[in-house]
Amino acid sequence: MSMNNAPNVFLDPNANRFQVNIINEDHDNNETTQEDVGSDPPHYEETSFTDETHNRLRISYRPGKRELFDNFHQNGEKTEGSLHPYDTHSKMYYLQTFGHNTMDPVPKIDYYRNTGSVSGNKLNRPSLLEIHEQLAKLLIFEWWSTPCVLCLAQKNVFVFCVILQNIAVSTGSVERVANGESTAGDETAASKEEENKTGFVKFGWVKGVLVRCMLNIWGVMLFIRLSWIVGQAGIGLGVIIILLATMVTSITGLSTSAIATNGFVRGGGAYYLISRSLGPEFGGSIGLIFAFANAVAVAMYVVGFAETVVELLKESDTLMVDEFNDIRIIGTITVVCLLGISVAGMEWEAKAQVILLIVLLVAIANFFIGTVIPTNTEKKARGFFNYQASIFAENFGPDFRSGEGFFSVFAIFFPAATGILAGANISGDLKDPQSAIPQGTMLAILITTIAYIAVAICAASCVVRDATGNVNDTIVPGMSCNGSSACGLGYDFSRCASQPCDYGLMNNFQVMSMVSGFGPLITAGIFSATLSSALASLVSAPKVFQALCKDNVYKGLEFFAKGYGKNNEPIRGYVLTFVIAMAFILIAELNTIAPIISNFFLASYALINFSCFHASYAKSPGWRPAFRYYNMWVSLFGALLCCGVMFVINWWAALITYAIEFFLYIYVTYKKPEVNWGSSTQALYFVNALDSALALTTVEDHVKNFRPQCLALTGAPMVRPALLDITHTFTKNNGLCICCEVYMGPRKLCVKEMNSGMEKKQAWLTKNKRKAFYAAVAADSFRDGVKSLLQASGLGRMKPNTLVMGFKKDWRSAPATQVENYVGIIHDAFDFELGVIIVRISQGFDISQVLQVQEELEKLEQERLALEATIKENDFEEGKRGICGFFKKASTLNISKHETKKGNTINTMQSMHVGEFNQRLLEASTQFKKKQGKGTIDIWWLFDDGGLTILIPYILTIRKKWKNCKLRIFTGGKVNRIEEEKLVMASLLSKFRIKFADINIICDINIKPNKESWKFFEEMIEPYRLHESCKDITTAEKLKRETPWKITDAELEAFKEKSYRQVRLNELLQEHSRAANLIVLSLPVARKGAVSDYLYMAWLEILSKNLPPILMVRGNHKNVLTFYS
């Protein structure tokens, strides 16, 4: 059978690039081949499936039916509701990608959205596991449908698609997963669709960013202080001051642009940019003070506006009360009006901003026009002579007066350059923040800087520094002149050197009004500048504060997170901003608070620059800003420059700003908000950890730096908490601790369960303040899994050197394979040169039964509370239905009482169950969390294993919970050398600098145990003995083959002395260490291949039976202690 491409099926003019050739497998192969001669070569496609027979969609035709399909396809007939066979965007998973039967979807942006995305619905792509599982079902569907296709091709080939679609729909999750749809998000998607119907007001880069930034940067300083600044610093230094301030804002603008183009930007402005880059600690601290600074800035701008109005009222002698109260009255009315505009919605606010910008531009244009209008005698007397080269030359150099200097003048001007974040602060209301913020912000900085420089140069080229305003101060013939430019222009202002004058750049703040063509327009410009800045701050503060509250960084501020209307307006935030602004307006003492506010803004700029530097320095692959015109070192320089400018403006305000920010940083760090934004701080943690781990590989191991690095076989850490606690006691802040779990069973189920529980169990360790890692493997057997962990755990030098495991209490009832695996793990640990610690407590470690009961109780309690809540909600409705309602209500109450009584009975039974069977287990599981009272840790150091047996208890005694316990040393010796042995051991411990309370030399370790103890041991191993000596050779050999794990008589006889020793040691332990808080004992080693598993387990059982908590320790026979310095 040949398979040929059929080119005549691709005649659909609407075909797209995701089409697939139909494969012909009918009996007309020869005819098709002849038709294909001279046609275009066939097109081949590659897919993820290796089997070509399943790569393509097959439609077979009976002889003579090919023309029917061709005619149908070429005519383009398509009934309503039918499906096109090449439509790759249909919901049929087997036609989704390139027309093939594969669940793999094409790349799509919806797969990369966040769950709460407002710009589109998040879709879930099928996982690898789902693709693997559904492939088998898919092939079955294709095979099953083949006969149906052969029948339906005579009538309508597209019925094939409909049938398969119905089958696909019946499979439920197949289609949903294949198309990346999530039922969990259906409600969210519906709500968003409904929300979209009302329409959001979104702004472009001009109206949303450029206009706002220009209005916020152009403030009152432009009209009333810029002439004074250029008079003090001169044209040269004045331009430098403007450029220096612009350098700070430009660098910050570049950093803002880089951060804003590194992913989707939501609302929150500076707070959002900083928090998503540096984390909630920095973002939360700066967000709060930034929002507060904007709220107070409203008061500052409004008071500036009110002061201008009051000056006009004074000139016309129409004050309402007095100067200060009039400022309060006008300020209050102004803030109320601005609040009304803001609450009306962003659209109205934007319209107001455009009107204010037009007024401001007209006022600036009015000034430039005035400079070329010929001056008059009155203006000349006030120092205005139009453009004069002599005035330009005279005003080019500085002339600092009244104790002013370069930095003090710079500090006065710098607030005029701020406001560059006005557009970024409403990032949530922009159509495309990623392009709008860079374009609007940088262009606004450029335009405003040019305007500042142009106004400064023009003013200094037209107006002299000092003028009397007296039209009679002209130069008459024969009168001497001081050589100033005014003298050359016919005016003598020399008396200004000895007495104060009211006009000129240095003395008159209304120079721009005097120079302008129409003075009232400058007043209108002042009004526009103050009101626009106030309006921008009144909008920015609630928006930033709302974003901060939505993230729940500060737990008590959720109330202000709620938004209203189609634009999610923060009405509550507006009210709070209004209250703060009103408070500062009524105080009317803003000169003191103004430097602090300026420093708050500068602190925001510094952190934005540092965020850009930090993100670049962390080298995270996620840092991919679309805006390329930035440099990490320039951003760092900008951050340092902002910090320096803070001190230049006001050193004590800078210190207060740092103190407030540090306090908020500590607070947020302490509270640890549950957020994960992928900040550069997280990325840098990884980079630093990686660098440290790599650097550690170059450091050679030394015995002085040895520390226990433990691999603890806890399973799930919450299941064996006591084993984790004792391990954590001697690894906390000292060594590595890895809690390990081995999943056994069907591979697919194990991997799924393991992957789903990894984060949960690591989170449990973090929540319970356990400085440990969690690791899990899926394996065919417990031993294989542990063997993998022993070999692969750790990183570089940070690898486990000690295996910690609990004693297997159920070894006598467990299957032989489990016992073999348990003992084999000990052998494997020694083979991989790890030390071994086996921990045994009387009640055992596993509390999974208790956890299960607690989980059931929690479920019952939740059901009871839900039932009570439902009954309470329905009580009122049922009570409104008269007598019938009354009886129904009574019936419901009876049911609820019965259910409650039943629930209480269940709870009581469960509580009794827990109390009777698991109370001691619960107490035992927490015994190592408690502080140990005065007592002893008895160390039975019987064999020299390198010192691990003595090091572990020493580490315990330097911990807070065990510091009241003294070390007692027990070791073997000869009867006639007890004192000498004590001195030798004391000398050894003193050289190791290990303090001890007592040393005991045990001389009777090797004598036979008493008969009762030995009889107990024999009875314990009796079920596991082979007794081959009592049987004939054939039977004995057969039994050895069938039960190789049993203890032979020969083995028992060969290791009888060692068995005696273990039984005798338990007697000595009962005699000397029964009252100890903890026993640390040298672990006996079973000779591999010689000692059977059950005999070794019997040794461990008899050795540690009926004793306090005991640690059986055996090092890897490499030194872990040294007495050299």
Side-chain angles (χ1 to χ4, degrees):
M1 178 183 294
S2 64
M3 294 186 295
N4 302 307
N5 293 343
N8 58 338
V9 301
F10 293 106
L11 301 177
D12 186 2
N14 299 320
N16 57 36
R17 64 190 181 92
F18 294 126
Q19 290 179 333
V20 62
N21 296 344
I22 303 299
I23 306 303
N24 179 26
E25 295 181 355
D26 60 5
H27 301 285
D28 301 330
N29 292 320
N30 296 332
E31 182 182 352
T32 304
T33 304
Q34 293 174 359
E35 291 175 359
D36 287 345
V37 175
S39 62
D40 293 337
H43 302 282
Y44 298 96
E45 294 179 342
E46 293 185 0
T47 66
S48 58
F49 301 99
T50 57
D51 186 0
E52 189 183 28
T53 60
H54 298 293
N55 276 353
R56 300 168 182 169
L57 177 67
R58 295 169 186 78
I59 301 179
S60 302
Y61 310 95
R62 290 185 178 179
K65 299 301 179 184
R66 174 60 182 266
E67 293 79 7
L68 176 65
F69 175 77
D70 289 342
N71 292 333
F72 182 88
H73 180 70
Q74 292 177 10
N75 293 333
E77 298 175 7
K78 189 175 182 179
T79 59
E80 184 177 359
S82 65
L83 296 172
H84 198 286
Y86 311 132
D87 186 4
T88 61
H89 300 287
S90 70
K91 292 188 176 181
M92 299 164 56
Y93 69 93
Y94 44 83
L95 290 178
Q96 186 179 12
T97 309
F98 305 107
H100 289 305
N101 53 347
T102 171
M103 291 179 63
D104 283 327
V106 295
K108 192 175 183 181
I109 192 172
D110 293 327
Y111 295 125
Y112 299 89
R113 297 190 188 278
N114 289 334
T115 305
S117 175
V118 296
S119 58
N121 297 328
K122 174 179 173 55
L123 300 182
N124 296 319
R125 72 176 63 82
S127 67
L128 284 174
L129 183 62
E130 289 166 335
I131 290 176
H132 289 161
E133 290 177 346
Q134 298 300 331
L135 176 60
K137 297 180 181 179
L138 188 61
L139 297 178
I140 292 174
F141 293 154
E142 185 180 3
W143 170 84
W144 179 85
S145 60
T146 301
C148 186
V149 173
L150 294 174
C151 298
L152 292 173
Q154 298 179 7
K155 300 178 180 178
N156 191 337
V157 71
F158 292 107
V159 178
F160 167 68
C161 298
V162 176
I163 292 177
L164 276 187
Q165 184 187 27
N166 292 333
I167 298 173
V169 170
S170 68
T171 62
S173 62
V174 178
E175 180 186 358
R176 182 175 64 254
V177 173
N179 290 281
E181 298 172 0
S182 176
T183 55
D186 289 344
E187 293 182 12
T188 306
S191 65
K192 287 177 182 176
E193 185 178 351
E194 187 67 27
E195 204 172 23
N196 288 330
K197 290 178 183 177
T198 61
F200 288 96
V201 179
K202 296 289 186 179
F203 304 112
W205 71 274
V206 175
K207 200 172 180 179
V209 182
L210 180 64
V211 171
R212 293 174 186 278
C213 288
M214 289 172 63
L215 284 170
N216 225 25
I217 295 172
W218 279 332
V220 182
M221 195 75 64
L222 175 67
F223 297 101
I224 64 176
R225 280 299 181 95
L226 188 58
S227 58
W228 177 86
I229 288 169
V230 76
Q232 288 277 355
I235 296 175
L237 288 182
V239 171
I240 291 176
I241 286 174
I242 295 172
L243 292 177
L244 182 59
T246 303
M247 182 170 65
V248 175
T249 56
S250 297
I251 294 173
T252 306
L254 294 174
S255 300
T256 304
S257 301
I259 298 173
T261 58
N262 189 52
F264 184 77
V265 178
R266 296 178 186 271
Y271 160 72
Y272 185 88
L273 299 178
I274 294 172
S275 62
R276 267 49 176 186
S277 182
L278 290 180
E281 296 83 7
F282 282 105
S285 59
I286 204 64
L288 195 61
I289 66 175
F290 187 74
F292 177 77
N294 274 283
V296 178
V298 175
M300 292 177 58
Y301 296 129
V302 168
V303 167
F305 168 77
E307 286 178 347
T308 306
V309 176
V310 169
E311 287 294 328
L312 295 175
L313 294 177
K314 281 175 64 179
E315 290 178 4
S316 59
D317 196 21
T318 55
L319 288 175
M320 292 177 284
V321 183
D322 56 56
E323 187 174 343
F324 289 103
N325 284 314
D326 281 10
I327 289 175
R328 294 187 177 100
I329 293 170
I330 295 171
T332 301
I333 295 172
T334 305
V335 170
V336 171
C337 294
L338 293 177
L339 179 65
I341 295 173
S342 301
V343 173
M346 290 294 296
E347 193 171 3
W348 284 97
E349 188 266 348
K351 292 177 180 178
Q353 293 279 28
V354 172
I355 295 172
L356 292 173
L357 178 63
I358 293 172
V359 174
L360 193 59
L361 291 173
V362 170
I364 295 173
N366 178 47
F367 166 77
F368 289 115
I369 293 171
T371 60
V372 297
I373 296 175
T375 184
N376 54 37
T377 304
E378 183 182 355
K379 289 186 177 182
K380 285 181 179 181
R382 295 182 179 183
F384 174 52
F385 297 95
N386 292 113
Y387 292 103
Q388 300 293 334
S390 59
I391 297 177
F392 179 87
E394 183 180 70
N395 290 341
F396 190 83
D399 185 15
F400 295 111
R401 303 177 189 176
S402 304
E404 299 292 348
F406 177 83
F407 288 108
S408 62
V409 173
F410 173 78
I412 293 171
F413 172 77
F414 183 80
T418 59
I420 61 172
L421 296 179
N425 287 339
I426 63 162
S427 53
D429 297 296
L430 300 175
K431 291 179 182 177
D432 185 7
Q434 289 181 293
S435 62
I437 292 175
Q439 290 179 14
T441 303
M442 299 310 297
L443 186 58
I445 293 173
L446 177 63
I447 294 173
T448 54
T449 301
I450 293 173
Y452 275 129
I453 293 175
V455 169
I457 293 175
C458 290
S461 302
C462 299
V463 184
V464 296
R465 280 194 168 101
D466 298 291
T468 60
N470 189 348
V471 295
N472 296 321
D473 288 342
T474 57
I475 297 177
V476 296
M479 184 177 180
S480 62
C481 188
N482 59 4
S484 65
S485 59
C487 292
L489 297 171
Y491 281 82
D492 181 18
F493 299 142
S494 57
R495 64 188 175 94
C496 291
S498 58
Q499 66 183 45
C501 292
D502 295 330
Y503 297 96
L505 294 175
M506 303 289 282
N507 310 305
N508 184 15
F509 290 154
Q510 302 298 326
V511 168
M512 287 192 70
S513 295
M514 178 188 68
V515 174
S516 64
F518 184 62
L521 278 179
I522 299 299
T523 303
I526 294 174
F527 290 169
S528 174
T530 52
L531 293 177
S532 63
S533 298
L535 190 57
S537 297
L538 185 58
V539 170
S540 297
K543 293 283 186 181
V544 173
F545 192 61
Q546 183 187 35
L548 178 67
C549 297
K550 277 184 177 180
D551 290 335
N552 203 19
V553 176
Y554 299 98
K555 298 294 182 183
L557 302 178
E558 305 97 321
F559 175 78
F560 296 98
K562 183 174 177 58
Y564 297 88
K566 58 187 179 182
N567 254 43
N568 197 30
E569 296 290 345
I571 304 297
R572 297 174 180 177
Y574 283 132
V575 174
L576 178 63
T577 304
F578 171 76
V579 171
I580 294 173
M582 280 299 303
F584 281 95
I585 288 172
L586 295 177
I587 293 172
E589 288 291 336
L590 296 178
N591 290 336
T592 304
I593 199 71
I596 298 178
I597 302 305
S598 296
N599 275 309
F600 280 0
F601 286 121
L602 273 169
S604 304
Y605 295 171
L607 277 181
I608 288 176
N609 284 310
F610 184 74
S611 299
C612 183
F613 163 76
H614 199 271
S616 302
Y617 183 75
K619 297 182 179 68
S620 173
W623 174 248
R624 302 184 302 274
F627 185 83
R628 298 294 182 185
Y629 305 102
Y630 75 97
N631 181 274
M632 59 183 289
W633 301 111
V634 172
S635 297
L636 178 61
F637 173 73
L640 297 176
L641 195 60
C642 289
C643 295
V645 171
M646 291 173 67
F647 282 96
V648 168
I649 290 177
N650 193 301
W651 65 268
W652 58 263
L655 292 178
I656 292 175
T657 304
Y658 286 134
I660 294 174
E661 187 175 342
F662 181 73
F663 171 76
L664 293 174
Y665 177 87
I666 295 297
Y667 174 81
V668 177
T669 302
Y670 175 75
K671 289 298 182 179
K672 292 182 179 178
E674 296 179 357
V675 295
N676 182 14
W677 294 324
S679 65
S680 60
T681 306
Q682 294 173 297
L684 197 60
Y685 282 157
F686 178 84
V687 172
N688 291 338
L690 183 61
D691 290 342
S692 298
L694 290 171
L696 192 61
T697 59
T698 64
V699 179
E700 295 184 7
D701 290 331
H702 194 282
V703 64
K704 286 196 298 183
N705 295 323
F706 177 86
R707 58 196 65 218
Q709 313 231 75
C710 297
L711 193 77
L713 301 183
T714 59
M718 64 283 291
V719 172
R720 293 176 179 82
L723 183 61
L724 173 60
D725 290 337
I726 189 62
T727 308
H728 188 256
T729 304
F730 52 80
T731 60
K732 181 183 179 182
N733 298 327
N734 188 56
L736 179 69
C737 180
I738 304 177
C739 299
C740 299
E741 184 172 10
V742 178
Y743 287 87
M744 295 171 291
R747 187 81 170 184
K748 186 183 299 182
L749 296 178
C750 287
V751 171
K752 187 175 181 180
E753 183 181 358
M754 180 179 70
N755 292 338
S756 62
M758 292 285 284
E759 291 185 5
K760 176 184 176 183
K761 290 164 185 175
Q762 185 63 55
W764 185 91
L765 291 171
T766 305
K767 181 180 178 181
N768 288 271
K769 298 180 179 179
R770 296 294 179 265
K771 295 184 177 181
F773 298 96
Y774 173 77
V777 293
D780 295 331
S781 68
F782 184 63
R783 183 178 181 181
D784 289 340
V786 175
K787 195 182 295 185
S788 299
L789 290 167
L790 290 172
Q791 296 177 85
S793 295
L795 182 67
R797 296 284 185 187
M798 294 186 295
K799 292 183 69 69
N801 53 31
T802 307
L803 176 67
V804 181
M805 55 197 302
F807 178 72
K808 188 172 180 60
K809 287 187 62 178
D810 63 343
W811 65 274
R812 282 183 278 184
S813 59
T817 53
Q818 290 188 13
V819 177
E820 180 185 0
N821 284 337
Y822 183 84
V823 178
I825 288 169
I826 300 174
H827 291 311
D828 294 336
F830 290 142
D831 289 342
F832 295 125
E833 297 187 343
L834 273 74
V836 175
I837 300 176
I838 299 178
V839 189
R840 181 175 186 179
I841 57 177
S842 57
Q843 298 298 324
F845 293 107
D846 192 347
I847 62 167
S848 56
Q849 184 179 4
V850 178
L851 296 177
Q852 185 177 358
V853 172
Q854 289 178 346
E855 186 178 351
E856 292 175 358
L857 289 175
E858 289 176 0
K859 288 182 180 179
L860 289 171
E861 181 65 16
Q862 291 175 358
E863 292 175 1
R864 185 182 67 81
L865 294 174
L867 179 62
E868 290 181 356
T870 304
I871 292 173
K872 288 179 181 178
E873 289 175 1
N874 294 332
D875 279 350
F876 181 72
E877 294 294 331
E878 293 175 352
K880 293 193 298 183
R881 298 174 185 172
I883 299 297
C884 296
F886 173 80
F887 286 112
K888 288 181 179 179
K889 181 177 180 181
S891 174
T892 304
L893 289 174
N894 288 334
I895 294 172
S896 66
K897 289 179 181 178
H898 176 72
E899 292 292 338
T900 305
K901 183 176 180 182
K902 181 179 178 181
N904 290 337
T905 305
I906 295 173
N907 289 346
T908 304
M909 292 175 60
Q910 295 289 1
S911 300
M912 290 175 59
H913 179 75
V914 173
E916 292 175 4
F917 298 102
N918 296 315
Q919 189 60 38
R920 286 184 295 174
L921 183 58
L922 280 173
E923 292 177 359
S925 68
T926 60
Q927 61 180 310
F928 296 125
K929 291 182 181 178
K930 302 173 184 176
K931 187 173 182 178
Q932 305 295 318
K934 289 186 177 180
T936 63
I937 298 177
D938 288 359
I939 306 170
W940 291 70
W941 196 10
L942 305 178
F943 310 108
D944 193 334
D945 59 350
L948 187 64
T949 306
I950 198 74
L951 180 63
I952 294 295
Y954 166 74
I955 294 174
L956 290 177
T957 57
I958 63 177
R959 302 299 188 190
K960 188 183 296 185
K961 294 175 183 176
W962 293 85
K963 66 179 182 180
N964 293 327
C965 295
K966 306 298 182 183
L967 298 183
R968 293 199 305 171
I969 312 299
F970 294 85
T971 188
K974 298 180 180 178
V975 178
N976 56 354
R977 296 192 61 210
I978 291 179
E979 294 302 323
E980 290 85 347
E981 297 284 356
K982 278 188 177 183
L983 290 174
V984 171
M985 180 57 69
S987 174
L988 179 62
L989 293 176
S990 64
K991 287 182 178 180
F992 289 148
R993 301 170 303 284
I994 294 177
K995 295 181 180 180
F996 56 90
D998 191 17
I999 295 177
N1000 294 276
I1001 305 299
I1002 307 299
C1003 305
D1004 52 352
I1005 293 178
N1006 291 322
I1007 68 173
K1008 287 185 179 182
N1010 61 51
K1011 293 182 179 179
E1012 291 77 11
S1013 300
W1014 181 250
K1015 183 179 179 182
F1016 177 83
F1017 179 77
E1018 287 185 322
E1019 290 175 352
M1020 181 172 59
I1021 64 173
E1022 179 61 32
Y1024 315 107
R1025 293 188 59 183
L1026 191 62
H1027 290 294
E1028 77 279 5
S1029 59
C1030 302
K1031 301 177 178 61
D1032 59 82
I1033 297 176
T1034 306
T1035 306
E1037 291 297 328
K1038 182 180 179 182
L1039 289 174
K1040 284 183 181 181
R1041 289 193 301 270
E1042 293 176 352
T1043 55
W1045 45 268
K1046 285 198 171 184
I1047 306 170
T1048 64
D1049 294 339
E1051 176 192 356
L1052 189 61
E1053 185 62 29
F1055 294 102
K1056 194 168 189 177
E1057 293 296 326
K1058 202 164 185 177
S1059 299
Y1060 281 157
R1061 187 187 304 155
Q1062 314 310 323
V1063 179
R1064 177 58 183 160
L1065 274 173
N1066 182 260
E1067 294 176 350
L1068 294 171
L1069 288 165
Q1070 298 282 353
E1071 179 183 346
H1072 295 281
S1073 300
R1074 183 77 177 176
N1077 292 48
L1078 182 70
I1079 299 173
V1080 181
L1081 172 69
S1082 292
L1083 175 70
V1085 177
R1087 193 172 301 164
K1088 192 191 297 187
V1091 178
S1092 62
D1093 300 331
Y1094 277 93
L1095 179 59
Y1096 184 63
M1097 292 303 300
W1099 288 352
L1100 300 183
E1101 173 73 32
I1102 197 63
L1103 188 61
S1104 57
K1105 188 173 180 61
N1106 298 329
L1107 290 171
I1110 182 169
L1111 272 64
M1112 293 177 278
V1113 181
R1114 174 68 71 147
N1116 60 0
H1117 286 241
K1118 292 183 179 179
N1119 289 345
V1120 300
L1121 295 172
T1122 182
F1123 52 83
Y1124 295 106
S1125 59

